[in-house]
Amino acid sequence: MGFQGGDAVASHNFGLQIDGVMVEYLQSVTGLTYAQDVIEFKQNSAQGKPITKKMPGVAQAGEATVVRGQTESQAFTTWIKDSIKGNMGSARKNASIIVMDYQNNPVKRYHMRNAWCSKIEASQLEAGGNAALTESVTITFEELTIE
């Protein structure tokens, strides 16, 4: 079942690929942002009036935070451990957030080049609690492309 005119992609079905392999479905993703510098160029027109032009500059590196349930995903856990230990030769990976439709077909991809995990935070542990254990992982990246 494809999309009909006016349909939007639901934001509840997405996962993380590392080096092209789906390793984890996620609870949430925040901060996934593309930004670039803005170059402001001022000059005078032929008539002597000041003109200001704005042009795109260099793309900025960024960060995103993903929340995952505490699972047995060895690929993601190894990536986190390599990053924490500073093994940057194996920690820098190309990773993607893949958004899928209702039939699990990819409809949007956010590719993060040279990504690595810079922070991990476990959810609250509480005696007698009934919430699932989650981890928030901050992923830093050098370049973001969207397709």
Side-chain angles (χ1 to χ4, degrees):
M1 172 168 145
F3 289 108
Q4 296 181 359
D7 285 349
V9 176
S11 66
H12 70 274
N13 193 6
F14 49 93
L16 176 71
Q17 281 186 347
I18 300 174
D19 288 336
V21 177
M22 184 66 78
V23 296
E24 190 84 37
Y25 286 85
L26 304 168
Q27 181 179 7
S28 69
V29 177
T30 58
L32 191 58
T33 304
Y34 174 84
Q36 64 187 48
D37 294 334
V38 176
I39 300 168
E40 189 171 281
F41 179 71
K42 295 182 181 191
Q43 66 183 18
N44 290 326
S45 70
Q47 294 76 30
K49 294 184 180 181
I51 298 172
T52 301
K53 298 239 181 195
K54 291 194 175 189
M55 301 175 293
V58 176
Q60 298 174 8
E63 299 185 332
T65 299
V66 301
V67 178
R68 71 176 188 143
Q70 181 61 47
T71 66
E72 297 295 323
S73 173
Q74 289 299 10
F76 197 10
T77 301
T78 299
W79 189 38
I80 292 168
K81 287 179 181 178
D82 285 344
S83 297
I84 290 170
K85 290 178 184 175
N87 297 336
M88 299 314 288
S90 58
R92 278 195 177 94
K93 305 268 186 200
N94 292 322
S96 300
I97 303 295
I98 311 295
V99 180
M100 290 160 280
D101 65 12
Y102 290 102
Q103 284 77 38
N104 286 330
N105 299 309
V107 293
K108 189 116 184 169
R109 296 174 188 266
Y110 298 89
H111 299 291
M112 300 172 284
R113 186 179 60 79
N114 286 339
W116 53 278
C117 304
S118 63
K119 180 180 176 182
I120 183 169
E121 181 178 349
S123 62
Q124 178 178 341
L125 303 173
E126 182 177 351
N130 61 357
L133 179 62
T134 61
E135 292 177 331
S136 295
V137 180
T138 301
I139 301 170
T140 187
F141 53 88
E142 295 176 7
E143 178 183 41
L144 180 71
T145 56
I146 303 167
E147 66 176 59

